[in-house]
């Protein structure tokens, strides 16, 4: 009788622990999906020929404030004064040009031209 009671107890504990692990994995997967959903922001491209200023920068509203960004390796077709774009970005560790006074140096991703 003791052996069967111990066997049943261990079996129940095993089943309960397996069920808990499955729920944890499912919750972790849902968290990962939520983290990858990145909202695009809208910005305006500004271009300057003046060597004493930033050659190109983007002005965008982010979290309720205006942010300026220097885009690293921006496509030449986007370098149009006043061009509005919707995009995501990754902050870059690249140096900004000396004359460029911006808040962030970024690499643009998922770019959409706006009219």
């Amino acid at each position: 009788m003791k052996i069967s009671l111990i066997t049943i107890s261990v079996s129940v504990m095993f089943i309960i622990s397996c069920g808990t692990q499955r729920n944890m994995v499912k919750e972790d997967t849902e968290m990962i999906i939520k983290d990858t959903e990145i909202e695009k922001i809208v910005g305006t491209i500004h271009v300057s020929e003046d060597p004493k200023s930033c050659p190109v920068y983007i002005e965008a509203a982010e979290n309720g404030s205006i942010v300026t960004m220097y885009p690293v390796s921006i496509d030449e077709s986007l370098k149009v004064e006043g061009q509005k774009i919707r995009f995501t970005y990754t902050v870059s560790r690249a140096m900004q040009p000396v004359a460029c006074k911006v808040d962030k140096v970024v690499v643009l991703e998922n770019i959409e031209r706006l009219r």
Side-chain angles (χ1 to χ4, degrees), residues 38 40 86-89 108-112:
I38 300 173
K40 290 186 177 183
R86 181 179 295 130
F87 61 96
T88 60
Y89 68 88
L108 300 180
E109 301 160 346
N110 306 310
I111 305 165
E112 296 175 47

Side-chain angles (χ1 to χ4, degrees), residues 4-113:
S4 63
L5 185 58
I6 293 172
T7 305
I8 292 172
S9 298
V10 170
S11 297
V12 168
M13 290 172 53
F14 178 74
I15 291 170
I16 290 171
S17 68
C18 287
T20 304
Q21 288 177 353
R22 284 188 205 130
N23 290 338
M24 290 174 65
V25 170
K26 186 175 182 181
E27 289 173 10
D28 288 344
T29 304
E30 289 172 2
M31 287 176 55
I32 291 170
I33 291 170
K34 288 179 184 176
D35 287 344
T36 58
E37 294 175 8
I38 300 173
E39 188 175 325
K40 290 186 177 183
I41 61 174
V42 175
T44 304
I45 297 176
H46 296 283
V47 181
S48 175
E49 299 294 326
D50 184 2
K52 296 180 182 179
S53 69
C54 197
V56 63
Y57 71 94
I58 299 171
E59 187 175 58
E62 185 176 42
N63 299 326
S65 61
I66 301 297
V67 179
T68 55
M69 305 175 196
Y70 175 74
V72 178
S73 303
I74 186 171
D75 189 89
E76 290 294 321
S77 67
L78 292 173
K79 291 184 181 181
V80 176
E81 177 63 32
Q83 173 68 55
K84 294 206 181 288
I85 58 173
R86 181 179 295 130
F87 61 96
T88 60
Y89 68 88
T90 302
V91 175
S92 175
R93 294 185 346 181
M95 298 282 290
Q96 65 192 39
V98 177
C100 227
K101 305 296 182 218
V102 294
D103 300 314
K104 302 176 185 183
V105 176
V106 299
V107 176
L108 300 180
E109 301 160 346
N110 306 310
I111 305 165
E112 296 175 47
R113 287 177 188 256

